[in-house]
Amino acid sequence: MSTLTRIATAAAVAAGLTLGLGAVGAQAAGGGEGPGLKRPYWSFEGVFGGYDEQQLRRGWEVYAQVCKSCHVLDYMHYRNLEQIGFTEDEVKEIAASFEVEDGPDEWGEMFMRPATPMDEFAKPYENDAIAKLANGGVVPPNLSVMARARDGGADYIYSLMLGYRDEVPEWVLEHDPNFELPAGKSFNAYFPGYAISMPQQLFEGILEYPDGTEPSAEQMAHDVTAFLQWAAEPELEDRKALGRYVLVFLLVLTALLYAYKREIWKDAH
Ligand code: HEC
Protein backbone atom coordinates (compact mmCIF):
# COMPACT_ATOMS: atom_id res chain seq x y z
CA MET A 1 0.00 0.00 0.00
CA SER A 2 1.21 3.48 -0.71
CA THR A 3 1.45 5.99 2.12
CA LEU A 4 -1.55 7.84 0.75
CA THR A 5 -3.66 4.70 0.64
CA ARG A 6 -2.63 3.91 4.18
CA ILE A 7 -3.57 7.36 5.42
CA ALA A 8 -6.93 7.15 3.69
CA THR A 9 -7.61 3.70 5.15
CA ALA A 10 -6.64 4.84 8.63
CA ALA A 11 -8.89 7.87 8.30
CA ALA A 12 -11.80 5.71 7.13
CA VAL A 13 -11.33 3.37 10.09
CA ALA A 14 -11.11 6.33 12.48
CA ALA A 15 -14.32 7.83 11.07
CA GLY A 16 -16.06 4.49 11.45
CA LEU A 17 -14.93 4.20 15.06
CA THR A 18 -16.03 7.73 15.90
CA LEU A 19 -19.49 7.10 14.48
CA GLY A 20 -19.80 3.85 16.38
CA LEU A 21 -18.60 5.26 19.69
CA GLY A 22 -21.78 7.17 20.53
CA ALA A 23 -23.60 3.87 20.88
CA VAL A 24 -20.78 2.26 22.89
CA GLY A 25 -20.57 5.24 25.28
CA ALA A 26 -24.24 4.89 26.12
CA GLN A 27 -23.71 1.25 27.03
CA ALA A 28 -20.89 1.91 29.48
CA ALA A 29 -22.87 3.69 32.23
CA GLY A 30 -24.92 2.25 35.05
CA GLY A 31 -23.47 0.00 37.71
CA GLY A 32 -23.99 0.27 41.44
CA GLU A 33 -25.57 -2.48 43.49
CA GLY A 34 -29.05 -1.97 42.15
CA PRO A 35 -30.57 -3.04 38.89
CA GLY A 36 -28.63 -2.07 35.74
CA LEU A 37 -30.07 0.72 33.64
CA LYS A 38 -33.03 -0.17 31.48
CA ARG A 39 -32.04 -0.07 27.84
CA PRO A 40 -35.04 0.37 25.60
CA TYR A 41 -34.81 0.80 21.84
CA TRP A 42 -34.07 4.39 20.77
CA SER A 43 -34.73 5.48 17.21
CA PHE A 44 -31.85 7.96 17.45
CA GLU A 45 -29.15 5.41 18.24
CA GLY A 46 -26.58 4.15 15.76
CA VAL A 47 -25.13 5.56 12.56
CA PHE A 48 -28.47 5.61 10.77
CA GLY A 49 -30.47 6.67 13.83
CA GLY A 50 -32.81 9.64 13.70
CA TYR A 51 -35.63 11.16 15.71
CA ASP A 52 -39.17 9.91 15.42
CA GLU A 53 -41.13 13.17 15.14
CA GLN A 54 -44.38 11.66 16.24
CA GLN A 55 -42.67 10.38 19.38
CA LEU A 56 -41.10 13.79 20.00
CA ARG A 57 -44.54 15.41 19.81
CA ARG A 58 -45.85 12.91 22.34
CA GLY A 59 -42.80 13.69 24.49
CA TRP A 60 -43.63 17.38 24.30
CA GLU A 61 -47.14 16.51 25.50
CA VAL A 62 -45.68 14.75 28.56
CA TYR A 63 -43.25 17.56 29.24
CA ALA A 64 -45.94 20.23 28.89
CA GLN A 65 -48.52 18.43 31.01
CA VAL A 66 -46.25 16.98 33.69
CA CYS A 67 -42.63 18.14 33.91
CA LYS A 68 -43.14 21.78 32.99
CA SER A 69 -44.75 22.66 36.30
CA CYS A 70 -41.36 22.18 38.01
CA HIS A 71 -38.56 22.09 35.42
CA VAL A 72 -37.25 24.79 33.10
CA LEU A 73 -36.00 23.93 29.62
CA ASP A 74 -33.40 26.64 29.07
CA TYR A 75 -32.64 27.90 25.55
CA MET A 76 -35.86 26.43 24.17
CA HIS A 77 -38.24 28.73 22.31
CA TYR A 78 -41.76 27.84 21.24
CA ARG A 79 -40.76 28.21 17.60
CA ASN A 80 -38.30 25.31 18.09
CA LEU A 81 -41.38 23.06 18.19
CA GLU A 82 -41.71 23.54 14.44
CA GLN A 83 -38.62 21.34 14.14
CA ILE A 84 -40.57 18.37 15.47
CA GLY A 85 -43.43 18.75 13.05
CA PHE A 86 -45.83 21.23 14.64
CA THR A 87 -47.13 23.72 12.07
CA GLU A 88 -46.63 27.46 12.48
CA ASP A 89 -50.25 27.89 13.54
CA GLU A 90 -50.06 25.05 16.04
CA VAL A 91 -46.95 26.60 17.56
CA LYS A 92 -48.73 29.97 17.84
CA GLU A 93 -51.59 28.28 19.60
CA ILE A 94 -49.30 26.33 21.93
CA ALA A 95 -47.32 29.47 22.78
CA ALA A 96 -50.49 31.48 23.44
CA SER A 97 -51.61 28.92 26.02
CA PHE A 98 -48.64 29.95 28.21
CA GLU A 99 -48.05 33.22 30.00
CA VAL A 100 -44.69 34.95 30.15
CA GLU A 101 -43.59 38.04 32.03
CA ASP A 102 -42.95 41.17 30.02
CA GLY A 103 -42.35 44.81 30.75
CA PRO A 104 -41.81 47.17 32.30
CA ASP A 105 -44.87 48.96 30.93
CA GLU A 106 -45.33 52.74 30.86
CA TRP A 107 -45.94 52.74 34.62
CA GLY A 108 -42.77 50.76 35.24
CA GLU A 109 -44.67 47.58 36.10
CA MET A 110 -43.89 44.09 34.89
CA PHE A 111 -46.93 42.33 33.46
CA MET A 112 -47.96 38.91 32.15
CA ARG A 113 -49.01 38.31 28.57
CA PRO A 114 -49.62 35.25 26.37
CA ALA A 115 -46.38 33.88 24.92
CA THR A 116 -45.53 34.10 21.21
CA PRO A 117 -43.44 31.64 19.17
CA MET A 118 -40.39 33.89 19.66
CA ASP A 119 -40.54 33.57 23.45
CA GLU A 120 -38.49 31.17 25.53
CA PHE A 121 -40.47 28.45 27.27
CA ALA A 122 -42.22 29.89 30.30
CA LYS A 123 -40.47 29.32 33.62
CA PRO A 124 -42.33 27.41 36.33
CA TYR A 125 -41.06 29.47 39.29
CA GLU A 126 -40.34 33.14 39.71
CA ASN A 127 -36.94 32.41 41.27
CA ASP A 128 -34.82 29.67 42.83
CA ALA A 129 -35.92 30.46 46.37
CA ILE A 130 -39.55 29.78 45.50
CA ALA A 131 -38.56 26.68 43.50
CA LYS A 132 -36.74 25.35 46.56
CA LEU A 133 -39.61 26.07 48.91
CA ALA A 134 -41.92 24.11 46.66
CA ASN A 135 -39.59 21.12 46.29
CA GLY A 136 -38.22 20.21 49.69
CA GLY A 137 -35.17 22.45 49.50
CA VAL A 138 -33.98 21.36 46.04
CA VAL A 139 -34.31 23.37 42.83
CA PRO A 140 -35.59 21.11 40.02
CA PRO A 141 -32.74 21.19 37.50
CA ASN A 142 -32.91 22.56 33.97
CA LEU A 143 -33.76 19.62 31.71
CA SER A 144 -32.53 20.97 28.38
CA VAL A 145 -29.07 19.41 28.65
CA MET A 146 -29.92 16.58 31.04
CA ALA A 147 -29.68 13.86 28.38
CA ARG A 148 -26.07 14.83 27.82
CA ALA A 149 -25.20 15.79 31.39
CA ARG A 150 -25.81 12.40 33.02
CA ASP A 151 -23.95 9.12 32.57
CA GLY A 152 -26.22 6.78 30.71
CA GLY A 153 -28.00 9.66 28.95
CA ALA A 154 -31.41 8.64 27.67
CA ASP A 155 -31.26 5.22 29.37
CA TYR A 156 -30.70 6.97 32.70
CA ILE A 157 -33.61 9.38 32.36
CA TYR A 158 -35.92 6.59 31.21
CA SER A 159 -34.84 4.33 34.09
CA LEU A 160 -35.16 7.18 36.60
CA MET A 161 -38.73 7.92 35.57
CA LEU A 162 -39.62 4.25 36.11
CA GLY A 163 -37.32 3.62 39.08
CA TYR A 164 -39.67 4.47 41.96
CA ARG A 165 -40.45 1.86 44.64
CA ASP A 166 -42.99 2.19 47.42
CA GLU A 167 -40.70 0.37 49.82
CA VAL A 168 -36.95 0.29 50.22
CA PRO A 169 -35.96 -2.94 48.42
CA GLU A 170 -34.05 -5.81 50.02
CA TRP A 171 -30.95 -5.31 47.93
CA VAL A 172 -30.47 -1.86 49.44
CA LEU A 173 -30.93 -3.07 53.03
CA GLU A 174 -28.59 -6.00 52.46
CA HIS A 175 -25.94 -3.57 51.38
CA ASP A 176 -26.73 -0.95 54.03
CA PRO A 177 -28.97 -2.19 56.90
CA ASN A 178 -29.21 1.36 58.27
CA PHE A 179 -30.58 2.88 55.08
CA GLU A 180 -33.52 5.13 55.87
CA LEU A 181 -35.43 7.26 53.45
CA PRO A 182 -35.35 10.87 54.73
CA ALA A 183 -38.77 12.49 55.21
CA GLY A 184 -40.13 14.06 52.03
CA LYS A 185 -37.94 11.98 49.73
CA SER A 186 -38.90 9.14 47.45
CA PHE A 187 -37.01 5.93 46.82
CA ASN A 188 -35.60 5.67 43.32
CA ALA A 189 -33.47 2.68 42.33
CA TYR A 190 -31.46 4.67 39.78
CA PHE A 191 -30.87 7.97 41.57
CA PRO A 192 -27.41 8.26 43.20
CA GLY A 193 -28.05 7.58 46.92
CA TYR A 194 -31.62 6.41 46.08
CA ALA A 195 -33.35 9.28 47.94
CA ILE A 196 -34.78 11.75 45.43
CA SER A 197 -36.70 14.99 46.01
CA MET A 198 -38.83 14.46 42.91
CA PRO A 199 -41.89 12.32 43.64
CA GLN A 200 -42.93 9.72 41.08
CA GLN A 201 -44.46 11.51 38.09
CA LEU A 202 -45.61 8.98 35.55
CA PHE A 203 -48.65 6.83 36.25
CA GLU A 204 -50.64 5.02 33.62
CA GLY A 205 -53.35 7.15 32.08
CA ILE A 206 -52.48 10.55 33.62
CA LEU A 207 -52.82 12.14 30.19
CA GLU A 208 -54.26 11.46 26.80
CA TYR A 209 -52.11 11.43 23.70
CA PRO A 210 -53.61 13.31 20.73
CA ASP A 211 -52.40 10.48 18.44
CA GLY A 212 -54.29 7.87 20.46
CA THR A 213 -51.20 6.03 21.77
CA GLU A 214 -51.83 4.13 25.01
CA PRO A 215 -50.36 6.29 27.83
CA SER A 216 -48.63 3.62 29.91
CA ALA A 217 -45.90 4.79 32.30
CA GLU A 218 -43.27 3.11 30.08
CA GLN A 219 -44.63 4.83 26.97
CA MET A 220 -44.61 8.27 28.59
CA ALA A 221 -41.12 7.73 30.03
CA HIS A 222 -39.88 6.68 26.60
CA ASP A 223 -41.50 9.62 24.81
CA VAL A 224 -40.48 12.33 27.25
CA THR A 225 -36.92 11.00 27.30
CA ALA A 226 -36.72 11.11 23.49
CA PHE A 227 -38.04 14.67 23.68
CA LEU A 228 -35.34 15.62 26.20
CA GLN A 229 -32.70 13.96 24.02
CA TRP A 230 -33.86 16.13 21.14
CA ALA A 231 -33.79 19.22 23.38
CA ALA A 232 -30.20 18.40 24.35
CA GLU A 233 -29.07 17.58 20.84
CA PRO A 234 -31.38 18.96 18.14
CA GLU A 235 -28.55 18.80 15.59
CA LEU A 236 -27.98 15.04 16.05
CA GLU A 237 -29.36 14.08 12.65
CA ASP A 238 -27.20 16.63 10.82
CA ARG A 239 -24.15 15.39 12.66
CA LYS A 240 -24.88 11.79 11.73
CA ALA A 241 -25.60 12.68 8.12
CA LEU A 242 -22.26 14.49 7.92
CA GLY A 243 -20.52 11.51 9.53
CA ARG A 244 -22.02 9.12 6.95
CA TYR A 245 -21.02 11.45 4.14
CA VAL A 246 -17.44 11.63 5.41
CA LEU A 247 -17.32 7.86 5.77
CA VAL A 248 -18.54 7.22 2.22
CA PHE A 249 -16.19 9.86 0.90
CA LEU A 250 -13.22 8.22 2.62
CA LEU A 251 -14.18 4.76 1.39
CA VAL A 252 -14.46 5.98 -2.20
CA LEU A 253 -11.17 7.83 -1.85
CA THR A 254 -9.50 4.68 -0.53
CA ALA A 255 -10.83 2.60 -3.42
CA LEU A 256 -9.69 5.18 -5.96
CA LEU A 257 -6.21 5.44 -4.48
CA TYR A 258 -5.92 1.70 -4.40
CA ALA A 259 -6.93 1.36 -8.05
CA TYR A 260 -4.58 4.16 -8.96
CA LYS A 261 -1.69 2.50 -7.15
CA ARG A 262 -2.29 -0.80 -8.96
CA GLU A 263 -2.44 1.02 -12.26
CA ILE A 264 0.90 2.71 -11.65
CA TRP A 265 2.66 -0.43 -10.41
CA LYS A 266 1.09 -2.89 -12.83
CA ASP A 267 4.07 -2.95 -15.23
CA ALA A 268 6.68 -2.92 -12.50
CA HIS A 269 5.95 -6.49 -11.34
C1 HEC B 1 -43.24 18.42 41.43
C2 HEC B 1 -42.08 18.91 40.76
C3 HEC B 1 -41.47 18.04 39.68
C4 HEC B 1 -42.08 17.55 38.55
C5 HEC B 1 -43.52 17.71 38.11
C6 HEC B 1 -41.05 16.86 37.81
N1 HEC B 1 -39.85 16.93 38.47
FE1 HEC B 1 -38.08 16.18 37.87
N2 HEC B 1 -37.18 16.88 39.55
C7 HEC B 1 -37.81 17.56 40.56
C8 HEC B 1 -36.85 17.83 41.61
C9 HEC B 1 -37.14 18.58 42.91
C10 HEC B 1 -35.62 17.27 41.21
C11 HEC B 1 -34.31 17.25 41.99
C12 HEC B 1 -34.22 15.88 42.67
C13 HEC B 1 -33.07 15.74 43.63
O1 HEC B 1 -32.00 16.30 43.37
O2 HEC B 1 -33.25 15.05 44.65
C14 HEC B 1 -35.87 16.68 39.90
C15 HEC B 1 -34.89 16.03 39.17
C16 HEC B 1 -35.09 15.53 37.89
C17 HEC B 1 -34.05 14.92 37.08
C18 HEC B 1 -32.58 14.86 37.41
C19 HEC B 1 -32.18 13.67 38.22
C20 HEC B 1 -30.70 13.74 38.50
O3 HEC B 1 -29.98 12.80 38.11
O4 HEC B 1 -30.24 14.73 39.09
C21 HEC B 1 -34.65 14.52 35.91
C22 HEC B 1 -33.98 13.82 34.73
C23 HEC B 1 -36.04 14.85 36.01
N3 HEC B 1 -36.28 15.46 37.23
C24 HEC B 1 -36.95 14.60 35.02
C25 HEC B 1 -38.30 14.93 35.10
C26 HEC B 1 -39.25 14.64 34.05
C27 HEC B 1 -38.91 13.97 32.73
C28 HEC B 1 -40.45 15.08 34.49
C29 HEC B 1 -41.77 14.97 33.79
C30 HEC B 1 -42.19 13.65 33.40
C31 HEC B 1 -40.24 15.66 35.82
N4 HEC B 1 -38.93 15.55 36.15
C32 HEC B 1 -41.25 16.23 36.59
C33 HEC B 1 -39.11 17.97 40.58
C34 HEC B 1 -40.06 17.65 39.62
Side-chain angles (χ1 to χ4, degrees), residues 81-136:
L81 294 174
E82 280 180 37
Q83 290 169 28
I84 62 175
F86 285 108
T87 65
E88 218 178 308
D89 285 341
E90 283 169 335
V91 169
K92 266 188 204 147
E93 203 174 306
I94 290 173
S97 70
F98 294 96
E99 292 228 303
V100 289
E101 190 176 56
D102 201 349
D105 63 14
E106 53 199 295
W107 295 284
E109 303 278 343
M110 301 304 280
F111 59 92
M112 301 303 282
R113 61 160 172 80
T116 73
M118 304 309 277
D119 282 312
E120 281 195 8
F121 280 12
K123 309 235 177 293
Y125 301 107
E126 229 162 286
N127 53 53
D128 279 0
I130 296 180
K132 264 192 196 172
L133 271 179
N135 290 281

Side-chain angles (χ1 to χ4, degrees), residues 32-34 168-179 194:
E33 303 79 30
V168 178
E170 275 306 310
W171 52 262
V172 173
L173 297 171
E174 269 165 30
H175 185 72
D176 175 7
N178 297 321
F179 181 91
Y194 310 124

Side-chain angles (χ1 to χ4, degrees), residues 21-216:
L21 275 185
V24 177
Q27 303 282 315
E33 303 79 30
L37 288 185
K38 296 172 190 289
R39 302 190 190 287
Y41 164 78
W42 300 111
S43 67
F44 46 80
E45 264 177 357
V47 182
F48 292 99
Y51 292 120
D52 169 351
E53 280 190 3
Q54 196 164 353
Q55 170 166 57
L56 296 185
R57 289 198 295 275
R58 285 197 304 271
W60 153 256
E61 203 67 35
V62 180
Y63 169 75
Q65 292 202 35
V66 185
C67 326
K68 186 204 60 143
S69 58
C70 295
H71 288 281
V72 293
L73 257 187
D74 280 344
Y75 324 119
M76 272 288 183
H77 296 75
Y78 291 106
R79 65 172 139 66
N80 294 130
L81 294 174
E82 280 180 37
Q83 290 169 28
I84 62 175
F86 285 108
T87 65
E88 218 178 308
D89 285 341
E90 283 169 335
V91 169
K92 266 188 204 147
E93 203 174 306
I94 290 173
S97 70
F98 294 96
E99 292 228 303
V100 289
E101 190 176 56
D102 201 349
D105 63 14
E106 53 199 295
W107 295 284
E109 303 278 343
M110 301 304 280
F111 59 92
M112 301 303 282
R113 61 160 172 80
T116 73
M118 304 309 277
D119 282 312
E120 281 195 8
F121 280 12
K123 309 235 177 293
Y125 301 107
E126 229 162 286
N127 53 53
D128 279 0
I130 296 180
K132 264 192 196 172
L133 271 179
N135 290 281
V138 186
V139 180
N142 165 33
L143 290 184
S144 64
V145 289
M146 194 55 78
R148 286 205 289 201
R150 291 286 182 273
D151 277 354
D155 289 337
Y156 170 71
I157 297 178
Y158 176 79
S159 303
L160 185 80
M161 298 321 295
L162 299 173
Y164 289 87
R165 306 281 182 272
D166 291 339
E167 281 173 27
V168 178
E170 275 306 310
W171 52 262
V172 173
L173 297 171
E174 269 165 30
H175 185 72
D176 175 7
N178 297 321
F179 181 91
E180 259 185 56
L181 202 58
K185 306 252 177 187
S186 304
F187 183 90
N188 190 298
Y190 300 96
F191 190 66
Y194 310 124
I196 189 167
S197 299
M198 168 170 68
Q200 179 168 359
Q201 298 298 320
L202 300 179
F203 301 90
E204 179 157 13
I206 48 167
L207 53 80
E208 267 181 37
Y209 280 127
D211 69 3
T213 301
E214 208 57 51
S216 66

